[in-house]
Amino acid sequence: MVNNNASAVLLALGTLAKGKEVIVSRGQLVEIGGSFRIPEVMEQSGAILVDVGATNKTHPRDYRSAVTGETALLLHVHTSNYRIVGFTRETTVEELVELGSEYKIPVMSDLGSGFLVDLAKYGLPKEPSVQETVAAGADVVTFSGDKLLGGPRPASSWARNTI
């Protein structure tokens, strides 16, 4: 357990994929809180970014066509800080788990802030929960412990200098 999701993503990528390829949808290359960008976190981890699909549409076949002998991880990033609407298609965690199982490649899901309770029953938009993502078969699930569990938050300048 670490303080924030950017730290968790950095550590997981560095542990599971340093020097290897990580496939992620182009539409999921987001900037998260604290100005951490997925491509930059991935670069710092030593993982090699392989982006697939288009900003608005990514299909399982996009991931499939990018898998090589150097692929260490399939990454799904929750785009919690923005939405693309209209002509869209996102590959689900379940679809990635199926593909990962076929190729024996682990699947990591970055849930951003993360949720433990279904907030839709309170009239808020549906968000994937940690439990649902684990049940979907993701091998690694990361989320912000500081936001979700109320832990201490680092000063943003400290975080930027250490991540």
Side-chain angles (χ1 to χ4, degrees), residues 49-73:
L49 169 66
V50 177
D51 62 326
V52 296
T55 302
N56 64 320
K57 280 193 170 198
T58 304
H59 302 269
R61 68 177 180 261
D62 296 317
Y63 287 86
R64 182 181 303 284
S65 68
V67 171
T68 72
E70 291 300 307
T71 303
L73 199 62

Side-chain angles (χ1 to χ4, degrees), residues 11-163:
L11 290 171
L13 289 173
T15 300
L16 299 171
K18 187 171 188 171
K20 300 272 188 175
E21 296 172 351
V22 175
I23 304 173
V24 63
S25 170
R26 188 168 287 131
Q28 296 174 358
L29 297 178
V30 298
E31 179 175 310
I32 57 180
S35 299
F36 301 118
R37 294 180 174 178
I38 292 295
E40 293 165 359
V41 171
M42 194 174 294
E43 180 181 4
Q44 188 159 358
S45 77
I48 300 164
L49 169 66
V50 177
D51 62 326
V52 296
T55 302
N56 64 320
K57 280 193 170 198
T58 304
H59 302 269
R61 68 177 180 261
D62 296 317
Y63 287 86
R64 182 181 303 284
S65 68
V67 171
T68 72
E70 291 300 307
T71 303
L73 199 62
L74 303 176
L75 176 61
H76 186 274
V77 179
H78 179 46
T79 58
S80 54
N81 60 355
Y82 83 100
R83 299 276 185 264
I84 298 175
V85 296
F87 191 58
T88 64
R89 167 60 157 95
E90 181 176 296
T91 301
T92 66
V93 171
E94 292 85 356
E95 290 170 322
L96 288 181
V97 166
E98 186 176 317
L99 185 64
S101 178
E102 181 181 334
Y103 286 95
K104 299 192 179 357
I105 299 170
V107 174
M108 181 171 143
S109 180
D110 166 356
L111 286 178
S113 294
F115 287 91
L116 295 175
V117 176
D118 180 6
L119 299 177
K121 62 184 174 185
Y122 302 108
L124 296 169
K126 173 74 176 135
E127 292 290 337
S129 72
V130 173
Q131 299 92 316
E132 291 168 340
T133 307
V134 170
D139 298 289
V140 178
V141 180
T142 64
F143 54 89
S144 288
D146 59 337
K147 293 182 194 92
L148 186 62
L149 304 175
R153 301 200 62 198
S156 56
S157 61
W158 177 84
R160 263 194 292 283
N161 292 330
T162 58
I163 298 288

